[in-house]
Amino acid sequence: ESIFIADDASSFAARCVQLLNDPALRDELGRAGRRLVVERYSMEAIGHLMQRSLSDLLNSRTETRAEVA
């Protein structure tokens, strides 16, 4: 888990106090959040996503042309 989710203001405040009082939990959530960002939004991750998207696009165009011919 990389984030805390709260349904209301008092739950959110309680989670904030929990983080203020627990350095290990802050570090754990910080590492998990960084890992999530690197996995999803790094240049490498975005490059793979773009490559896959462009490949899918080219494949769909090739299939459409084959159907027409």
Side-chain angles (χ1 to χ4, degrees):
E1 188 173 299
S2 54
I3 60 172
F4 278 154
I5 297 175
D7 292 327
D8 55 50
S10 62
S11 296
F12 179 73
R15 290 299 210 170
C16 289
V17 170
Q18 182 183 4
L19 285 173
L20 287 170
N21 292 325
D22 191 340
L25 182 59
R26 283 195 310 267
D27 289 343
E28 180 183 332
L29 285 178
R31 282 191 303 276
R34 175 162 173 66
R35 189 170 44 250
L36 176 76
V37 168
V38 168
E39 289 172 0
R40 292 190 184 176
Y41 305 109
S42 68
M43 292 297 286
E44 183 178 353
I46 297 299
H48 287 300
L49 178 62
M50 287 190 67
Q51 182 179 14
R52 186 174 42 230
S53 297
L54 290 172
S55 179
D56 290 347
L57 177 63
L58 290 173
N59 287 336
S60 69
R61 288 185 56 128
T62 301
E63 291 170 3
T64 301
R65 286 183 180 168
E67 291 171 3
V68 171

